[in-house]
Amino acid sequence: MTHFTCFESLTLLVGQWSGIAPGGHRLRVEYSLHANNSVLMEHWHLRTADALTLYHMDGDQLMATHYCPLCNQPRLNLIEQNGSQLHFACVSATNLQNASDEHQHTFEIKLIDEQHFWRSESYIASGKIMTEAINYLRD
């Protein structure tokens, strides 16, 4: 699957989704297309703040820029695709003073079917990696 085809597969997420975090709180995320369908916006409705991730192509590279409540903006590239599972890794970030400061380091999305997807995120904080995985259901 090409990176463009991976972008097209992510557009199947357009709509509203909910998941339960390991701590028991409900997470909501909404996906929508913008800029003549060339950008997929992921809008996280978190307990204390909102976050955005914008997916787009840069030539033949699928990129994601995460606008985090931590006030930094990691840029992640699709580095691996295994079936319906996409793996993104941080290649740079704005407003990040040190690479060991807290930021989104990697994430994976697995498209299960039209009503379900799985997402795992890894953050670096004080040089340590913390990972959380959640199953989402279409609202």
Side-chain angles (χ1 to χ4, degrees), residues 22-49:
H25 63 278
R26 182 175 177 235
L27 290 175
R28 292 183 3 217
V29 60
E30 180 179 355
Y31 291 87
S32 56
L33 287 166
H34 300 275
N36 197 24
N37 296 333
S38 66
V39 175
L40 179 67
M41 182 173 76
E42 179 182 79
H43 182 188
W44 293 94
H45 304 276
L46 306 172
R47 290 186 295 175
T48 58

Side-chain angles (χ1 to χ4, degrees), residues 16 18 22 27 32 34 41 44 48 68 73 93 98 101 115 118:
Q16 297 180 353
S18 295
L27 290 175
S32 56
H34 300 275
M41 182 173 76
W44 293 94
T48 58
C68 188
Q73 302 80 34
N98 185 313
D101 290 346
Q115 301 300 315
W118 170 89

Side-chain angles (χ1 to χ4, degrees), residues 34-123:
H34 300 275
N36 197 24
N37 296 333
S38 66
V39 175
L40 179 67
M41 182 173 76
E42 179 182 79
H43 182 188
W44 293 94
H45 304 276
L46 306 172
R47 290 186 295 175
T48 58
D50 284 2
L52 297 174
T53 302
L54 300 179
Y55 298 85
H56 65 89
M57 298 300 300
D58 181 16
D60 63 355
Q61 178 64 56
L62 177 55
M63 299 183 65
T65 302
H66 179 62
Y67 298 86
C68 188
L70 297 169
C71 301
N72 57 43
Q73 302 80 34
R75 293 184 199 106
L76 303 103
N77 284 348
L78 176 64
I79 61 166
E80 184 179 4
Q81 180 264 329
N82 184 7
S84 63
Q85 190 163 327
L86 308 177
H87 181 85
F88 290 80
C90 184
V91 294
S92 65
T94 56
N95 206 34
L96 189 66
Q97 300 302 313
N98 185 313
S100 66
D101 290 346
E102 190 170 0
H103 68 281
Q104 186 178 56
H105 184 63
T106 64
F107 71 88
E108 296 180 48
I109 296 177
K110 182 176 183 178
L111 306 169
I112 299 168
D113 59 36
E114 293 179 9
Q115 301 300 315
H116 303 88
F117 80 92
W118 170 89
R119 182 180 172 104
S120 172
E121 296 185 6
S122 294
Y123 278 79

